[in-house]
Amino acid sequence: VSGLNKNFILAPCDNIENAFAIRFNNERYIIYDKDFMDEIDGESKWRNLTILAHEVAHHLNNHPLEVRLANSTDRKSFAEKRRQELEADEFAGFIMARLDGPLEEVLAAISSISNNKDDTYSTHPSRDKRINAIKKGYKRAGNKENSTQVANNENEVFNKLIDKNFILSFP
């Protein structure tokens, strides 16, 4: 739905309790913890797709972590990292709306991995900020903020996505 070629390597990694966009040897990777993805999955695969779309956005916006030597440090400020997270959330909302993902499932994905604590010293924004970014992307795709587009047959929707080479299968 983005019109871009799929050029990411999706790789499982146990015990990281997250998903990350990284670059290594000039290759784009999305590293994920299968148990983490299973926990946020809910009733459908929309939540996992939201997280993957978020990680793809990090690559497209040139945010991914660069795998470096152990002595190297990432000097980006907390505010800059939070801004990048909101950009990725907005893109995820946009892509999920284009895929006709139900807004409540997309928001549930972000809600399940965030909180509303003070984010001043955090790399990730508060839940409310992230939800607003998702909604902004959803609206930018031409869907109303309170729209809950529910597919009549979820299997039919996912078959369409597979035909469009959007879904990356988990090993």
PDB file of all heavy atoms in Angstrom, residues 41-53:
ATOM      1  N   ASP A  41      -0.662  -9.515  20.457  1.00  0.00           N
ATOM      2  CA  ASP A  41      -1.430  -9.911  19.281  1.00  0.00           C
ATOM      3  C   ASP A  41      -2.927  -9.723  19.431  1.00  0.00           C
ATOM      4  O   ASP A  41      -3.591  -9.317  18.505  1.00  0.00           O
ATOM      5  CB  ASP A  41      -1.101 -11.354  18.911  1.00  0.00           C
ATOM      6  CG  ASP A  41      -1.536 -11.710  17.516  1.00  0.00           C
ATOM      7  OD1 ASP A  41      -1.617 -10.803  16.667  1.00  0.00           O
ATOM      8  OD2 ASP A  41      -1.781 -12.894  17.273  1.00  0.00           O
ATOM      9  N   GLY A  42      -3.492 -10.000  20.576  1.00  0.00           N
ATOM     10  CA  GLY A  42      -4.935  -9.840  20.747  1.00  0.00           C
ATOM     11  C   GLY A  42      -5.719 -10.825  19.903  1.00  0.00           C
ATOM     12  O   GLY A  42      -5.289 -11.937  19.639  1.00  0.00           O
ATOM     13  N   GLU A  43      -6.866 -10.376  19.425  1.00  0.00           N
ATOM     14  CA  GLU A  43      -7.787 -11.234  18.693  1.00  0.00           C
ATOM     15  C   GLU A  43      -7.409 -11.404  17.216  1.00  0.00           C
ATOM     16  O   GLU A  43      -7.923 -12.274  16.544  1.00  0.00           O
ATOM     17  CB  GLU A  43      -9.205 -10.653  18.780  1.00  0.00           C
ATOM     18  CG  GLU A  43      -9.748 -10.568  20.186  1.00  0.00           C
ATOM     19  CD  GLU A  43      -9.935 -11.932  20.805  1.00  0.00           C
ATOM     20  OE1 GLU A  43     -10.429 -12.845  20.112  1.00  0.00           O
ATOM     21  OE2 GLU A  43      -9.575 -12.087  21.985  1.00  0.00           O
ATOM     22  N   SER A  44      -6.556 -10.537  16.704  1.00  0.00           N
ATOM     23  CA  SER A  44      -6.231 -10.592  15.279  1.00  0.00           C
ATOM     24  C   SER A  44      -4.787 -10.202  15.049  1.00  0.00           C
ATOM     25  O   SER A  44      -4.077  -9.843  15.976  1.00  0.00           O
ATOM     26  CB  SER A  44      -7.147  -9.648  14.502  1.00  0.00           C
ATOM     27  OG  SER A  44      -6.808  -8.306  14.800  1.00  0.00           O
ATOM     28  N   LYS A  45      -4.360 -10.265  13.813  1.00  0.00           N
ATOM     29  CA  LYS A  45      -2.993  -9.907  13.451  1.00  0.00           C
ATOM     30  C   LYS A  45      -2.820  -8.412  13.219  1.00  0.00           C
ATOM     31  O   LYS A  45      -1.721  -7.960  12.914  1.00  0.00           O
ATOM     32  CB  LYS A  45      -2.554 -10.675  12.192  1.00  0.00           C
ATOM     33  CG  LYS A  45      -2.526 -12.165  12.386  1.00  0.00           C
ATOM     34  CD  LYS A  45      -1.453 -12.542  13.375  1.00  0.00           C
ATOM     35  CE  LYS A  45      -1.400 -14.049  13.549  1.00  0.00           C
ATOM     36  NZ  LYS A  45      -0.652 -14.439  14.717  1.00  0.00           N
ATOM     37  N   TRP A  46      -3.849  -7.611  13.364  1.00  0.00           N
ATOM     38  CA  TRP A  46      -3.740  -6.173  13.134  1.00  0.00           C
ATOM     39  C   TRP A  46      -2.732  -5.532  14.069  1.00  0.00           C
ATOM     40  O   TRP A  46      -2.023  -4.596  13.695  1.00  0.00           O
ATOM     41  CB  TRP A  46      -5.095  -5.488  13.256  1.00  0.00           C
ATOM     42  CG  TRP A  46      -6.036  -5.855  12.163  1.00  0.00           C
ATOM     43  CD1 TRP A  46      -7.172  -6.622  12.276  1.00  0.00           C
ATOM     44  CD2 TRP A  46      -5.929  -5.513  10.771  1.00  0.00           C
ATOM     45  NE1 TRP A  46      -7.766  -6.758  11.057  1.00  0.00           N
ATOM     46  CE2 TRP A  46      -7.025  -6.088  10.100  1.00  0.00           C
ATOM     47  CE3 TRP A  46      -5.019  -4.783  10.026  1.00  0.00           C
ATOM     48  CZ2 TRP A  46      -7.238  -5.957   8.740  1.00  0.00           C
ATOM     49  CZ3 TRP A  46      -5.213  -4.638   8.666  1.00  0.00           C
ATOM     50  CH2 TRP A  46      -6.321  -5.225   8.032  1.00  0.00           C
ATOM     51  N   ARG A  47      -2.671  -6.012  15.289  1.00  0.00           N
ATOM     52  CA  ARG A  47      -1.742  -5.418  16.261  1.00  0.00           C
ATOM     53  C   ARG A  47      -0.298  -5.689  15.851  1.00  0.00           C
ATOM     54  O   ARG A  47       0.546  -4.791  15.913  1.00  0.00           O
ATOM     55  CB  ARG A  47      -2.034  -5.941  17.658  1.00  0.00           C
ATOM     56  CG  ARG A  47      -3.394  -5.496  18.156  1.00  0.00           C
ATOM     57  CD  ARG A  47      -3.678  -6.005  19.540  1.00  0.00           C
ATOM     58  NE  ARG A  47      -5.070  -5.743  19.894  1.00  0.00           N
ATOM     59  CZ  ARG A  47      -5.583  -5.974  21.072  1.00  0.00           C
ATOM     60  NH1 ARG A  47      -4.829  -6.453  22.041  1.00  0.00           N
ATOM     61  NH2 ARG A  47      -6.848  -5.718  21.319  1.00  0.00           N
ATOM     62  N   ASN A  48       0.001  -6.917  15.449  1.00  0.00           N
ATOM     63  CA  ASN A  48       1.360  -7.224  14.986  1.00  0.00           C
ATOM     64  C   ASN A  48       1.705  -6.417  13.745  1.00  0.00           C
ATOM     65  O   ASN A  48       2.824  -5.919  13.604  1.00  0.00           O
ATOM     66  CB  ASN A  48       1.511  -8.718  14.676  1.00  0.00           C
ATOM     67  CG  ASN A  48       1.740  -9.552  15.914  1.00  0.00           C
ATOM     68  OD1 ASN A  48       2.085  -9.035  16.967  1.00  0.00           O
ATOM     69  ND2 ASN A  48       1.547 -10.837  15.792  1.00  0.00           N
ATOM     70  N   LEU A  49       0.758  -6.281  12.831  1.00  0.00           N
ATOM     71  CA  LEU A  49       1.008  -5.493  11.623  1.00  0.00           C
ATOM     72  C   LEU A  49       1.284  -4.033  11.969  1.00  0.00           C
ATOM     73  O   LEU A  49       2.116  -3.385  11.321  1.00  0.00           O
ATOM     74  CB  LEU A  49      -0.186  -5.592  10.662  1.00  0.00           C
ATOM     75  CG  LEU A  49      -0.323  -6.902   9.911  1.00  0.00           C
ATOM     76  CD1 LEU A  49      -1.633  -6.924   9.125  1.00  0.00           C
ATOM     77  CD2 LEU A  49       0.860  -7.126   8.984  1.00  0.00           C
ATOM     78  N   THR A  50       0.609  -3.516  12.985  1.00  0.00           N
ATOM     79  CA  THR A  50       0.846  -2.142  13.415  1.00  0.00           C
ATOM     80  C   THR A  50       2.277  -1.976  13.909  1.00  0.00           C
ATOM     81  O   THR A  50       2.965  -1.020  13.546  1.00  0.00           O
ATOM     82  CB  THR A  50      -0.150  -1.735  14.520  1.00  0.00           C
ATOM     83  OG1 THR A  50      -1.485  -1.866  14.015  1.00  0.00           O
ATOM     84  CG2 THR A  50       0.091  -0.316  15.004  1.00  0.00           C
ATOM     85  N   ILE A  51       2.735  -2.907  14.717  1.00  0.00           N
ATOM     86  CA  ILE A  51       4.104  -2.846  15.243  1.00  0.00           C
ATOM     87  C   ILE A  51       5.108  -2.952  14.093  1.00  0.00           C
ATOM     88  O   ILE A  51       6.091  -2.199  14.037  1.00  0.00           O
ATOM     89  CB  ILE A  51       4.348  -3.954  16.289  1.00  0.00           C
ATOM     90  CG1 ILE A  51       3.388  -3.807  17.484  1.00  0.00           C
ATOM     91  CG2 ILE A  51       5.806  -3.984  16.730  1.00  0.00           C
ATOM     92  CD1 ILE A  51       3.444  -2.473  18.210  1.00  0.00           C
ATOM     93  N   LEU A  52       4.865  -3.858  13.160  1.00  0.00           N
ATOM     94  CA  LEU A  52       5.789  -3.991  12.019  1.00  0.00           C
ATOM     95  C   LEU A  52       5.778  -2.742  11.145  1.00  0.00           C
ATOM     96  O   LEU A  52       6.837  -2.293  10.682  1.00  0.00           O
ATOM     97  CB  LEU A  52       5.447  -5.233  11.197  1.00  0.00           C
ATOM     98  CG  LEU A  52       5.700  -6.570  11.895  1.00  0.00           C
ATOM     99  CD1 LEU A  52       5.202  -7.724  11.025  1.00  0.00           C
ATOM    100  CD2 LEU A  52       7.165  -6.742  12.249  1.00  0.00           C
ATOM    101  N   ALA A  53       4.612  -2.154  10.922  1.00  0.00           N
ATOM    102  CA  ALA A  53       4.533  -0.914  10.140  1.00  0.00           C
ATOM    103  C   ALA A  53       5.302   0.204  10.853  1.00  0.00           C
ATOM    104  O   ALA A  53       5.983   1.009  10.204  1.00  0.00           O
ATOM    105  CB  ALA A  53       3.074  -0.513   9.913  1.00  0.00           C
TER     106      ALA A  53
END
